[in-house]
Amino acid sequence: MNKEVAAPRGFAQHWAPWHPGMIAAVVLSLLLLAVTYLVWQGVERARDERRLQAFALSVDRVVSNLSDRIAAYEMVLRGAKGYYEGSDSIDQQEFQAYVEALHLPQTRPGLQGVALLSRVAESTGARTGQALITHIAPQTPENQQELGQDAMLQPARREALLRARDSGTLALSGPLGSREGDAGSSLVMYLPLYARHAAVDTLAQRRQNIAGWVAAPFRMDDVIQGLASELDSDLALAIHDGPSVAGGVLVFASRTDYAPHAVNGGLEAVRSYDVGGRRWTLVLYPLPSFEQRFEGSTHHLVALLGAAFSLLAGWFVGQQVNARQRAMALAREMTRELRRTRDELEATLNAVPDLLFEVDAQGGIHHYRSGRADLIGTRAQALVGRTLGDVLPPAAAAECMAALDEAAEYGYSEGRQYSLDIGGSQHWFELSVACKQGGTPQTGTGPGQRHFIALSRDVTRRHEAEAAMYRLAYFDALTGLPNRRLLLQRLQDALVTAQQQGGMGALFYIDLDNFKEINDARGHGVGDGLLVQVAARLQDVAGPQETVARLGSDEFVMLVPRLVDGPSVAREQACRRAQQLRECLDAPYDLGGVHYGSTGSIGVTLFPKNGEAVEDLLREADTAMFCAKDRGRNQVCFFEQDMHAAAQERLALLQDLKSAVDNDALLTYAQPQVDAAGQLIGAELLLRWPHPQRGFVPPAQFIPVAEQAGLIVRMGARVIQQACATLAELHQQGRALSISVNVSPRQFRQADFVEQVRAALHSTGAPAALLTLEVTESLLVENWQDTARRMHELVALGVRFSIDDFGTGYSSLAYLKRLPLYELKIDRSFVQDAPSDANDAAIVQAILSVARHLRLRVVAEGVETRQQADFLIAHHCHGLQGYLFGLPQPLRDWLTGLKG
């Protein structure tokens, strides 16, 4: 009989698997181990999510800031293009001042400068032409080396230039390579400049009418360095010029050990960015310092301790069931760790400075967060459950709803802007909306409704920069008035409206009288102050729909787009407005406690007229203004058609005269002078102009034109040289005859006039004592001290001075005893009626008497009769000149006659 050995009862009860304490210990241990694992796994997942989200946000910030910087460069180019199109001509100094006003190093770091390129076509047609750099600023040594260079010679630049020309839009060049000492690749952005008013709708028209380009060179290293404060320093960046990394040209790499195919073991971002017709491929990957943000062994230690505690708790429960409280305490600690992890993630999202909304298709707000509470002015909880229409102004809400509709249709919307009044100032926001991943295309208000993520970025600074560019392109920097470009646009609108609706308008062209004298005498500060006050007065007179513009210097224009109907009534109303403008300009100006007087000459033209464009109206008003100046200044003159013909005639005469002076086509004539006995004592040299179509043009017609255009300086210098050569030839023949030459005030006031006379005397060997310079009394009125100084310098050389047309001026006779004069010439207007006219005879006698007492010689011109000659001789006139003694004849013929 077999007998089993029985174990002690107490031992069996203690170690039996089904013992309640052991079961509770095992269950508790497994439960705690599972919780520990879940907690550790949750922390690990949260850490990875934070890492990925932080990396994605940093990548978006890099791409966004780089895009904003390139867009800012483009705005500089568009502002320069507007400045070019609004200017008739741009010299280097004006262009330098314009670019310096942009403060590029502060507002656009990385941009090397702004340049204007002029297209020069090749006559052979073998090439696409030249693109010469004519203007560049700022004037750094590197930029100055670029002046005059042909950008077409470099393939990368030529490709971008031709692409900008053909597309009419911004074009970016490929990498240009590095110069010695440069850091990184250089690139250039181009915008095309077409001929004004030329059609550019087709490719052929754009190629035909290209006039040049505006360019902005930059180096990528400088661009990224300028963005350093706005980028994540723990991310590495590489930029390839091309649609992909493979085959693309490396433009920039923040690390020298960058290898495209072995970046970071998987965590990297490759983004494509289109700019100026080229595609950039951006590669971003984290640096070790980025990974260190998320490293740490705390949660591993917690998990390890949790596992140990789980086992210990199971063992302890097996020994003592009441250890449950300790397990719950451990669970609470783990819960707090999870909450800390959640709060850290929340803090990361709150650090994003933009406004982040989750909304539905009807604009209902389901979630909101932002790191800047000042942008919304209320708590996030107060927005949830409301709609965009409830919390935004109508205009802003409408723009946001339009973005939602666009995102609903295309999946994404960007670039829309709206404004908000925050804290008493206007802020501008740019909206980007995307359909939330995992959403459904269903509509309605149920749980399946599609949601959208809306990111609203504060772009106030960029908007202000764009507004500043607009002001530079369309408004005058000194007065704040519209410039020529904006005036032409408004004038075009007014002209079209008048033509379509049958109304009439007026254009007033205002030029300040004697502004140059004030500006030269008191400085540009006083002149600028006067212009600002003039602008303010004109704006006060202008109506709400009227435009006051400054064209440049002291020229202003007022556009009145609407007058009363009817030509005669409209002309009367325009006349009253012009008189009102005269009166407002006539009042004294207070500039720094000193009062100055300045008037305005005003030209007026009415519109519309048959087939006239805005340029024609501006030219008509300008012509009328010059007519007002010719009538004595401070006048109002309406444009008449014959003014245009007269202006064209003056212009044609001026062009012909320039050609005649350049080709030495003016002839020098000599008119003899005799003494009381009829003996030849000298001659006066005169200019004659034989025009191939007009015949001989009278001096009274072409001399004023030469004075106004400044040609008189060259003409006078030539006559003085001929006079000295004639004196030298006469001296070699043993003839002591004097030669007289007229000198215009403009010629006399040339800084080198004394040196010109000295050089002519020295080069020819002419006797200076026989050279007489004839000046008018008007020369003696202006700048008395400088006139006297120059006359004394010339007299010291031996030259003699004569007052031409004496008696017709308005100056004081005091100069007769203060200046080193030799001779007076009685004007022909007094001689022609003497001695039959008692008044003229008395004037002639008075001049002869004054000259005799002052010991001055007297020559009478215009002597045509024997009676006139006898009268002059009887009253002791020293010299006679006129048709009675000889007609003017070519100088060479006169000299030949002397030999005979």
Side-chain angles (χ1 to χ4, degrees), residues 529-542:
L530 176 62
L531 293 175
V532 170
Q533 291 193 24
V534 168
R537 292 186 184 185
L538 294 176
Q539 285 182 300
D540 290 341
V541 174

Side-chain angles (χ1 to χ4, degrees), residues 109-130:
L111 195 63
Q112 294 176 255
V114 181
L116 290 180
L117 289 76
S118 179
R119 175 182 178 266
V120 179
E122 290 289 337
S123 60
T124 61
R127 295 174 54 192
T128 57
Q130 295 179 316

Side-chain angles (χ1 to χ4, degrees), residues 295-357:
E295 290 182 357
S297 59
T298 303
H299 63 289
H300 298 298
L301 180 60
V302 170
L304 181 62
L305 291 176
F309 182 82
S310 300
L311 297 175
L312 182 61
W315 174 84
F316 188 78
V317 167
Q319 301 297 321
Q320 190 176 2
V321 176
N322 61 3
R324 181 175 58 89
Q325 297 296 330
R326 299 178 183 178
M328 293 189 64
L330 179 60
R332 287 194 294 269
E333 178 65 24
M334 293 179 178
T335 302
R336 285 194 294 270
E337 181 69 19
L338 289 174
R339 288 175 178 172
R340 283 195 296 270
T341 301
R342 181 199 62 190
D343 294 341
E344 185 177 350
L345 178 59
E346 187 80 9
T348 300
L349 292 176
N350 285 336
V352 177
D354 302 328
L355 305 179
L356 184 66
F357 291 89

Side-chain angles (χ1 to χ4, degrees), residues 430-685:
E430 186 174 78
L431 196 63
S432 297
V433 181
C435 184
K436 186 176 180 179
Q437 294 295 329
T440 64
Q442 302 173 5
T443 60
T445 58
Q449 181 184 12
R450 178 181 293 182
H451 283 203
F452 301 87
I453 301 300
L455 189 68
S456 184
R457 169 167 296 178
D458 187 353
V459 293
T460 303
R461 291 185 179 179
R462 190 176 79 191
H463 196 273
E464 291 173 349
E466 293 172 355
M469 293 296 179
Y470 178 83
R471 288 193 298 272
L472 286 173
Y474 288 96
F475 290 89
D476 176 54
L478 175 64
T479 62
L481 296 177
N483 60 14
R484 183 186 187 92
R485 184 181 184 186
L486 185 54
L487 171 67
L488 291 177
Q489 291 182 4
R490 293 184 179 178
L491 181 56
Q492 178 66 36
D493 294 340
L495 181 59
V496 171
T497 301
Q499 291 170 342
Q500 293 177 349
Q501 299 180 1
M504 295 198 70
L507 193 66
F508 300 82
Y509 201 113
I510 306 154
D511 186 272
L512 301 183
D513 299 326
N514 303 318
F515 173 76
K516 185 178 184 301
E517 287 75 5
I518 296 177
N519 205 37
D520 293 343
R522 298 302 180 186
H524 292 285
V526 173
D528 290 346
L530 176 62
L531 293 175
V532 170
Q533 291 193 24
V534 168
R537 292 186 184 185
L538 294 176
Q539 285 182 300
D540 290 341
V541 174
Q545 304 301 322
E546 299 171 0
T547 298
V548 177
R550 181 186 177 215
L551 298 187
S553 185
D554 59 340
E555 296 179 336
F556 297 85
V557 170
M558 175 181 281
L559 168 63
V560 179
R562 184 71 181 182
L563 297 172
V564 295
D565 294 335
S568 60
V569 182
R571 184 182 179 94
E572 292 178 2
Q573 184 179 359
C575 184
R576 290 194 298 270
R577 291 303 303 276
Q579 293 299 332
Q580 186 180 11
L581 292 175
R582 279 186 56 200
E583 293 172 1
C584 82
L585 296 175
D586 194 38
Y589 297 86
D590 186 356
L591 299 172
V594 180
H595 289 81
Y596 295 88
S598 180
T599 58
S601 297
I602 303 175
V604 188
T605 186
L606 301 178
F607 63 86
K609 302 183 181 73
N610 292 331
E612 289 191 337
V614 291
E615 294 82 0
D616 299 323
L617 296 176
L618 201 59
R619 173 181 47 77
E620 290 175 359
D622 187 20
T623 301
M625 181 274 294
F626 275 107
C627 180
K629 281 193 175 293
D630 291 340
R631 294 180 181 179
R633 301 183 179 181
N634 194 22
Q635 301 290 327
V636 176
C637 186
F638 279 79
F639 176 78
E640 303 295 343
Q641 196 58 41
D642 57 349
M643 291 181 184
H644 180 55
Q648 288 183 320
E649 174 64 20
R650 285 195 304 270
L651 179 61
L653 188 65
L654 174 59
Q655 297 301 322
D656 290 347
L657 184 57
K658 285 183 178 179
S659 177
V661 173
D662 292 339
N663 297 319
D664 200 17
L666 297 179
L667 303 180
T668 303
Y669 275 50
Q671 186 173 27
Q673 296 176 349
V674 300
D675 59 12
Q679 296 296 319
L680 181 67
I681 59 175
E684 177 183 2
L685 298 190

